[in-house]
């Protein structure tokens, strides 16, 4: 980035400013652990507070920390290998454009093949289920450590490299939101790497571990478990296949990389998005073929809305003159940009979120007793 461009001080602070950020620093990890502990109870209801906290040895295991470090290292290695193309992100405020490797899907394929080889050699993937809480604690520790690294690194960053939303001058708020926009170690983009790789692929791996645990317990996976794994694997593969699209998202072009995104990418996503599969291991559900078919149709509707609207938005952000979107109606904004108000975006305000919500419902229905 050009050193001559300076990011102005953040005037509008999200989440209630420094006080809200301080609360969320504790509330986000607490929510993850509360959900995991609740999911392991007989009733699995968030309205029923779990009993006493687990003993320290149930929360901490250095082996899980080492395994996570190995996982991150493996994904980092795949990130730097010349497996795919290199593309430029959109133009930033200082008129610069960063380069990004587009190889997340290739990394997923290599990871999947590695897991298959491991299973063929006797790898007991259900170990993840048996130590899930310890893995979550280890992931939280690594997320916090990364957040401190990012913040201290940002103090040495040029003015032009700071995030518009994380330049408030308040250390707590900037630590939480992210002070630097695109922190890099050489050409290794830390935010871009964490956005999809370790957490999202890790989510799919955790789901598979839950399926393997169910096979250990009951001899075969249930239809409910297969649906949850299939639906969420589709979502993960879609994100990895369309990796280039995240270069136009707010996470990349506007938000800094701090605790919020680091914890969200590395802990929140893999350990809360896999709750359906974790729930089904201890609370098996039987689905009829007719009900399963209905849930599949619901997920398909959500996916069509989600993918169609996101593709339209990404195409417009990259090139408003693209023939696919050139005829769509737009309105100007106060920042000088234009917003789509036709196509998918003329039906509802946020069709991508609508698709997300419909798919989330389809992921959860296999866990409901009445279906």
């Amino acid at each position: 980035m050009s050193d001559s461009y300076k990011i102005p001080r953040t005037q509008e602070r999200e989440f209630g400013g420094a006080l809200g950020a301080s609360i969320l620093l504790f509330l986000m990890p607490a929510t993850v652990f509360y959900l995991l502990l609740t999911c392991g109870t007989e009733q699995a209801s968030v309205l029923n507070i779990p009993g006493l906290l687990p003993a320290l040895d149930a929360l901490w295991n250095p082996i899980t920390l080492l395994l996570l470090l190995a996982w991150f290292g493996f994904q980092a290695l795949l990130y730097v290998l010349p497996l795919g193309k290199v593309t430029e992100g959109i133009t930033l405020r200082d008129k610069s454009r960063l380069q990004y490797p587009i190889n997340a899907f290739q990394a997923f394929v290599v990871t999947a093949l590695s897991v298959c080889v491991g299973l063929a050699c006797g790898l007991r993937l259900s170990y993840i289920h048996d130590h899930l809480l310890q893995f979550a604690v280890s992931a939280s520790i690594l997320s916090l450590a990364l957040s401190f690294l990012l913040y201290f690194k940002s103090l040495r960053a040029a003015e032009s490299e700071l995030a518009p939303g994380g330049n408030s001058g308040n250390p707590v708020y900037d630590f939480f939101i992210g002070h630097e926009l695109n922190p890099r170690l050489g050409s290794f983009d830390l935010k871009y790497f964490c956005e999809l790789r370790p957490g999202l692929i890790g989510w799919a791996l955790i789901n598979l571990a839950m399926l393997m645990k169910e096979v250990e317990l009951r001899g075969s996976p249930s239809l409910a478990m297969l649906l949850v794994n299939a639906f969420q694997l589709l979502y993960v593969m879609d994100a990895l296949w369309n990796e280039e699209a995240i270069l136009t998202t707010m996470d990349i072009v506007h938000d800094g990389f701090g605790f919020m995104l680091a914890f969200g990418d590395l802990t929140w996503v893999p350990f809360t998005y896999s709750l359906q599969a974790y729930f089904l291991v201890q609370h098996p559900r039987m689905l009829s073929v007719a009900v399963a078919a209905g849930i599949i149709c619901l997920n398909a509707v959500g996916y069509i809305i989600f993918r169609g609207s996101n593709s339209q938005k990404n195409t417009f952000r990259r090139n408003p003159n693209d023939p696919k979107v050139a005829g769509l109606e737009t309105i100007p904004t106060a920042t000088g940009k234009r917003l789509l108000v036709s196509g998918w975006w003329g039906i509802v305000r946020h069709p991508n979120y609508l698709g997300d919500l419909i798919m989330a419902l389809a992921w959860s229905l296999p866990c409901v007793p009445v279906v």
Side-chain angles (χ1 to χ4, degrees), residues 323-370:
K324 296 178 182 177
V325 296
L328 296 179
E329 184 180 352
T330 63
I331 58 172
T333 68
T335 61
K337 298 181 179 180
R338 303 194 70 84
L339 291 179
L340 286 171
V341 291
S342 62
W344 283 105
W345 301 84
I347 301 173
V348 293
R349 184 175 181 182
H350 292 292
N352 52 339
Y353 296 160
L354 175 62
D356 258 326
L357 289 170
I358 294 173
M359 286 189 292
L361 176 60
W363 300 349
S364 300
L365 285 177
C367 303
V368 179
V370 295

Side-chain angles (χ1 to χ4, degrees), residues 84-95:
K85 66 177 183 178
V86 176
T87 191
E88 288 187 329
I90 68 171
T91 304
L92 300 176
R93 291 191 175 203
D94 68 346
K95 309 305 179 184

Side-chain angles (χ1 to χ4, degrees), residues 233-299:
L233 181 61
L234 172 64
Y235 189 87
V236 170
M237 293 177 67
D238 174 89
L240 300 175
W241 181 261
N242 294 284
E243 178 184 20
E244 195 169 353
I246 72 165
L247 298 180
T248 64
T249 62
M250 293 292 288
D251 282 3
I252 298 297
V253 302
H254 181 271
D255 295 342
F257 192 31
F259 179 84
M260 181 179 70
L261 283 182
F263 185 84
D265 291 340
L266 304 179
T267 305
W268 186 278
V269 167
F271 294 99
T272 65
Y273 287 25
S274 59
L275 279 172
Q276 290 95 339
Y278 184 49
F279 171 88
L280 288 171
V281 173
Q282 302 179 59
H283 307 85
R285 297 289 185 256
M286 298 296 295
L287 295 180
S288 67
V289 174
V291 168
I295 296 175
I296 291 172
C297 290
L298 181 66
N299 190 76

Side-chain angles (χ1 to χ4, degrees), residues 27 59 73 90 130 142 188 210 277 348:
L27 185 60
L59 295 172
I90 68 171
D130 298 341
L142 291 178
F188 192 100
M210 301 305 144
V348 293

Side-chain angles (χ1 to χ4, degrees), residues 124-135:
R124 186 174 174 268
L125 200 58
S126 58
Y127 178 90
I128 295 175
H129 168 274
D130 298 341
H131 299 270
L132 190 65
L133 197 58
Q134 296 170 337
F135 273 109

Side-chain angles (χ1 to χ4, degrees), residues 69-136:
L69 285 172
W71 172 254
F72 293 161
F74 178 58
Q75 293 303 320
L77 174 62
L78 297 178
Y79 174 91
V80 300
L81 290 179
L83 298 175
K85 66 177 183 178
V86 176
T87 191
E88 288 187 329
I90 68 171
T91 304
L92 300 176
R93 291 191 175 203
D94 68 346
K95 309 305 179 184
S96 66
R97 298 183 71 180
L98 298 175
Q99 291 191 327
Y100 298 90
I102 306 298
N103 60 9
F105 190 81
Q106 291 90 329
F108 172 79
V109 172
V110 174
T111 301
L113 292 174
S114 301
V115 171
C116 289
V117 171
L119 292 173
C121 294
L123 174 67
R124 186 174 174 268
L125 200 58
S126 58
Y127 178 90
I128 295 175
H129 168 274
D130 298 341
H131 299 270
L132 190 65
L133 197 58
Q134 296 170 337
F135 273 109

